[in-house]
Amino acid sequence: MKSKYSALPYYVWMALFTIAPLILVLVFAFTDNNGAFTIENISQVGEYTNVLVRSVWLAAVATVICLLIAYPLAYIMSRLGPSKQRTMVMLIMLPMWMNFLLRTYAWMTILENNGLLNRFFGLFGVGPFDMINTQGAVVLGMVYNYLPFMILPLYTIMVKIDNRVIEAAQDLGASPLKVASSVVLPLSVPGISTGITMVFVPAVSTFIISRMLGGGGNLLIGDLIDLQFLGNAYNPHLGSAISLVLMVIILLCMSVMNQFGEEEEREGMLI
Amino acid sequence: MSTNTIISLKDIVVEFDGERVLEGLDLDIHDKEFVTFLGPSGCGKTTTLRIIGGFVAPKNGDVFFEGKRINDLPPYKRQVNTVFQRYALFPHLNVFENVAFGLKIQKLPEKEIRTRVLEMLELVNLKGFENRGVNQLSGGQQQRVAIARALVNHPKVLLLDEPLGALDLKLRKEMQIELKKIQQSLGITFIYVTHDQEEALTMSDTVVVMKDGDIQQIGTPEDIYNEPKNAFVADFIGESNIVPGIMKKDFLVEFAGRDFECVDSGFTPMEQVDVVVRPEDIKVVPTIAGHITGIVENVTFKGVHFEMEVLACGTHWLIHSTQSQAVGASIGMQIGPEDIHIMHKMEE
Ligand SMILES: Nc1ncnc2c1ncn2[C@@H]1O[C@H](COP(=O)(O)OP(=O)(O)OP(=O)(O)O)[C@@H](O)[C@H]1O
Ligand SMILES: [Mg+2]
């Protein structure tokens, strides 16, 4: 009984801030300006297929890059002494203390046609290169901003891997590569799936990064939604429909990934 | 280095945070030998095994394997397998996969792996547990998986760090016999760590007694038991009465208020010594026939024998006898010359 009552505030919270907005989005997505039921909004989303595909693609690329960078780093961190580990965690969190917009502005000034990098290349007589307003810049922005969200869950899982288990694998003849593939990887699967979720979901729905680093040509779903609510294309019904589609896409991606994660685990068992 | 030396440690020094854990350890281990490290907790037994396994780099000294210096060889390239003190099983693998791990790395055919793993599981009494997760096993069962996982690879040298510590007495005795049998039939060198001196004495070819990172004595179980080099070894290997004495001259020692004939010589005359007498070497006789007279203070039944505490000449003596005596009774104690072991006083 007691636990029932103590959970009550959370139920209220969820009803107010999770369920209600969801219902609102649903209602908006399936109604027109007069409040009548319609599926026109949803079918209209089809016109933006290329934006949807681009969003998923760029977010996926950024997620993979984050994983490739973060995985070895998290492993090395997890094997350091306790005080070095704390320092590393601090260093990784540090950029997050700076405002997100500020960080992204900084990248603008670095990547611009007469920005820091191009001026640097100019010293050697090469360039200028087109870096700003490219898909590469968008991916870079995503990786830079979301990398900590990949490192931290991986690190948290990896510190729990007992060094003695790694020693046991080495003792049985496992080379460093083999230790990584047949002990560390299977034991870190939960961290991998958390990290992927934490990077992919915000990356796929971002709009600031794409607007600031991608220019007008690399519109993402986030920008599209933003336009429907705050931009000149004002149409909250279409915006809701796009949001709904985005949610479905994320759900699909996540369930595909969980499937993969489970397989990974089962494969780990067979090694 | 003799021809059949397989592992040789030369002047090994290990420090952790500036604290010396091993102080210039020298040791030769012969091929197919069963060597046991025996010593109190914290004396450096596990550290010595980790030196051999390659998990600790010595601050000073060399490790040789079949005559080749292997200080810089990483653990996975050493022909040594370890049964770890705290098992270190793979939590994501089941029992079968744990045991098969090393064989899979060697890329043996699937069929051979299967036969060897199942054989080994049968040997350690874990038949039928193949598909269990290792976290669903009792401590003793986990320990046996750890033994099987190392042994199944038939390494040249097997390091065993208190491998039977979690087993009950009966299973422990069974496993001792099994391990000894395997060691002999496969011709594997065993380097074995135990707290249990009886285990050390019954299983080993050679016993290495350690204390504070130093070797006190190396010898056969008989040597160690019958000719302990100092009072520490005597006390650690089996129970002993250790009393102060004075070596009057060769073959004559004074302790417990009288002179005794003994078989030791070569001490400086009137040297202060430790006299060691095993509890089972003291004969209980009528008071008039004894060398010393004492009062029985306590009697405990120990299964095969009675253990008596006897107060004589201000010392409490431990006596093992098949015959019980009444508490408070006066008894005579007889000690033969060859039952008296004289040791130099340990410099503390
Ligand atoms: N990684 C380490 N860091 C610091 N000190 C250590 C480390 N490993 C061992 N020691 C110290 O070295 C000494 C020897 O340890 P070791 O584990 O070799 O003892 P042991 O003989 O195996 O003891 P036990 O019988 O209790 O297992 C101990 O004093 C221990 O505290
Ligand atoms: Mg130990």
Side-chain angles (χ1 to χ4, degrees):
Chain A
M1 276 312 265
K2 206 176 153 198
S3 67
K4 229 181 192 172
Y5 285 120
S6 58
L8 199 63
Y10 300 102
Y11 289 137
V12 173
W13 175 274
M14 286 204 332
L16 274 178
F17 297 107
T18 309
I19 312 286
L22 259 176
I23 291 172
L24 273 180
V25 168
L26 268 172
V27 168
F28 266 90
F30 287 104
T31 51
D32 59 21
N33 277 332
N34 307 320
F37 177 83
T38 172
I39 56 161
E40 199 175 309
N41 298 319
I42 298 287
S43 58
Q44 213 181 325
V45 176
E47 292 169 23
Y48 300 101
T49 310
N50 60 333
V51 181
L52 289 173
V53 169
R54 187 190 304 131
S55 298
V56 172
W57 168 243
L58 292 186
V61 170
T63 307
V64 169
I65 293 174
C66 279
L67 185 61
L68 291 180
I69 297 174
Y71 198 85
L73 179 65
Y75 180 66
I76 293 165
M77 265 171 72
S78 73
R79 301 296 114 182
L80 292 176
S83 66
K84 279 189 189 156
Q85 281 188 24
R86 274 194 297 275
T87 316
M88 287 296 282
V89 171
M90 278 291 285
L91 285 176
I92 285 161
M93 305 270 281
L94 206 61
M96 302 207 305
W97 296 356
M98 254 174 293
N99 184 282
F100 182 88
L101 275 174
L102 198 70
R103 276 178 279 156
T104 313
Y105 267 124
W107 273 112
M108 277 176 82
T109 59
I110 293 172
L111 298 177
E112 268 165 3
N113 289 342
N114 53 357
L116 279 177
L117 260 180
N118 270 327
R119 266 187 270 163
F120 176 74
F121 289 136
L123 294 179
F124 303 95
V126 289
F129 298 102
D130 280 337
M131 288 183 290
I132 196 81
N133 300 344
T134 59
Q135 295 197 349
V138 176
V139 170
L140 177 76
M142 289 175 174
V143 170
Y144 179 77
N145 279 311
Y146 300 127
L147 188 59
F149 298 107
M150 184 63 91
I151 297 175
L152 293 178
L154 282 174
Y155 162 77
T156 313
I157 276 290
M158 282 178 179
V159 279
K160 290 200 205 119
I161 300 178
D162 192 339
N163 219 18
R164 289 184 295 239
V165 171
I166 291 173
E167 282 182 356
Q170 292 171 336
D171 185 79
L172 292 166
S175 61
L177 210 66
K178 189 75 192 164
V179 171
S181 69
S182 55
V183 178
V184 180
L185 185 66
L187 287 177
S188 57
V189 165
I192 296 177
S193 57
T194 311
I196 290 180
T197 312
M198 305 242 317
V199 172
F200 181 78
V201 172
V204 82
S205 54
T206 184
F207 60 97
I208 294 178
I209 296 175
S210 50
R211 183 163 324 149
M212 287 166 68
L213 300 176
N218 291 305
L219 215 65
L220 298 186
I221 311 181
D223 303 294
L224 216 53
I225 296 170
D226 181 46
L227 275 177
Q228 308 310 316
F229 287 96
L230 300 170
N232 27 21
Y234 184 74
N235 183 353
H237 298 280
L238 180 57
S240 298
I242 303 172
S243 300
L244 204 61
V245 172
L246 179 59
M247 264 191 275
V248 172
I249 289 175
I250 290 175
L251 268 176
L252 279 176
C253 290
M254 290 302 115
S255 63
V256 165
M257 206 204 54
N258 282 343
Q259 209 72 32
F260 171 76
E262 268 162 38
E263 245 162 57
E264 185 89 330
E265 235 163 312
R266 240 179 285 126
E267 245 169 55
M269 296 287 195
L270 295 177
I271 284 174
Chain B
M1 219 182 286
S2 76
T3 46
N4 69 345
T5 299
I6 186 157
I7 285 177
S8 176
L9 302 178
K10 295 270 179 247
D11 196 24
I12 299 287
V13 174
V14 172
E15 279 182 7
F16 288 120
D17 315 316
E19 201 175 316
R20 287 223 163 176
V21 171
L22 293 182
E23 323 221 16
L25 199 89
D26 279 305
L27 182 64
D28 282 343
I29 291 162
H30 303 287
D31 195 17
K32 303 188 180 25
E33 197 179 10
F34 195 125
V35 183
T36 301
F37 293 164
L38 193 59
S41 185
C43 71
K45 304 180 298 288
T46 298
T47 307
T48 310
L49 288 194
R50 288 171 66 77
I51 289 275
I52 298 171
F55 299 109
V56 172
K59 183 167 191 284
N60 179 51
D62 295 311
V63 187
F64 293 95
F65 187 88
E66 295 183 325
K68 279 195 282 294
R69 187 175 176 277
I70 56 163
N71 283 40
D72 306 315
L73 204 64
Y76 72 96
K77 287 187 181 158
R78 299 193 182 192
Q79 290 165 303
V80 170
N81 286 131
T82 309
V83 180
F84 290 89
Q85 187 165 9
R86 265 161 287 178
Y87 326 147
L89 301 177
F90 302 119
H92 59 298
L93 303 179
N94 67 22
V95 170
F96 182 94
E97 291 154 354
N98 260 279
V99 179
F101 193 92
L103 299 177
K104 286 200 175 155
I105 284 175
Q106 292 172 39
K107 300 216 163 61
L108 294 189
E110 202 67 35
K111 228 172 134 194
E112 189 185 340
I113 293 179
R114 189 152 188 90
T115 349
R116 267 168 76 171
V117 170
L118 291 180
E119 224 175 70
M120 193 49 72
L121 284 178
E122 179 145 20
L123 208 70
V124 296
N125 270 319
L126 284 178
K127 204 175 157 193
F129 284 75
E130 298 86 53
N131 298 320
R132 281 273 192 105
V134 288
N135 293 325
Q136 299 165 290
L137 298 178
S138 73
Q141 289 165 340
Q142 292 183 9
Q143 196 158 39
R144 282 176 281 154
V145 175
I147 294 173
R149 183 179 67 174
L151 201 50
V152 77
N153 304 294
H154 301 169
K156 277 206 172 145
V157 176
L158 187 65
L159 312 177
L160 304 99
D161 201 345
E162 305 195 22
L164 307 180
L167 306 186
D168 62 75
L169 193 64
K170 185 164 170 290
L171 192 54
R172 195 180 173 121
K173 295 267 184 235
E174 281 171 28
M175 288 295 299
Q176 285 176 2
I177 294 167
E178 278 308 331
L179 284 178
K180 184 76 191 170
K181 250 202 269 172
I182 295 167
Q183 188 256 336
Q184 282 168 338
S185 67
L186 295 180
I188 301 176
T189 308
F190 268 36
I191 306 178
Y192 197 95
V193 168
T194 178
H195 274 125
D196 178 348
Q197 45 109 0
E198 191 188 327
E199 189 167 284
L201 294 179
T202 52
M203 294 177 82
S204 326
D205 300 319
T206 305
V207 177
V208 177
V209 184
M210 295 177 66
K211 181 194 175 223
D212 297 339
D214 239 347
I215 292 177
Q216 299 292 313
Q217 186 170 1
I218 305 177
T220 63
E222 290 84 18
D223 281 350
I224 299 268
Y225 192 83
N226 294 326
E227 308 294 333
K229 232 183 187 162
N230 56 36
F232 172 81
V233 177
D235 193 33
F236 200 78
I237 311 287
E239 286 162 304
S240 301
N241 296 291
I242 302 175
V243 293
I246 294 169
M247 199 67 187
K248 291 216 157 146
K249 55 180 191 188
D250 284 356
F251 313 118
L252 191 70
V253 60
E254 184 202 315
F255 66 90
R258 57 163 292 167
D259 290 349
F260 283 84
E261 269 181 56
C262 65
V263 294
D264 298 79
S265 59
F267 291 80
T268 27
M270 300 310 282
E271 184 181 334
Q272 305 263 350
V273 291
D274 281 325
V275 178
V276 174
V277 183
R278 297 282 183 200
E280 66 273 25
D281 289 340
I282 301 177
K283 247 193 250 127
V284 178
V285 293
T287 34
I288 33 160
H291 294 122
I292 319 169
T293 310
I295 309 284
V296 178
E297 292 197 306
N298 199 358
V299 180
T300 321
F301 181 56
K302 289 282 180 175
V304 192
H305 59 78
F306 292 92
E307 186 178 282
M308 289 181 273
E309 256 180 73
V310 177
L311 181 66
C313 312
T315 313
H316 294 275
W317 298 79
L318 213 58
I319 302 178
H320 291 173
S321 163
T322 47
Q323 250 145 43
S324 178
Q325 304 287 331
V327 174
S330 244
I331 57 161
M333 295 155 57
Q334 210 174 50
I335 306 170
E338 60 288 336
D339 296 329
I340 295 171
H341 308 283
I342 313 287
M343 334 232 133
H344 294 286
K345 278 249 181 233
M346 280 213 293
E347 68 285 354
E348 284 294 341

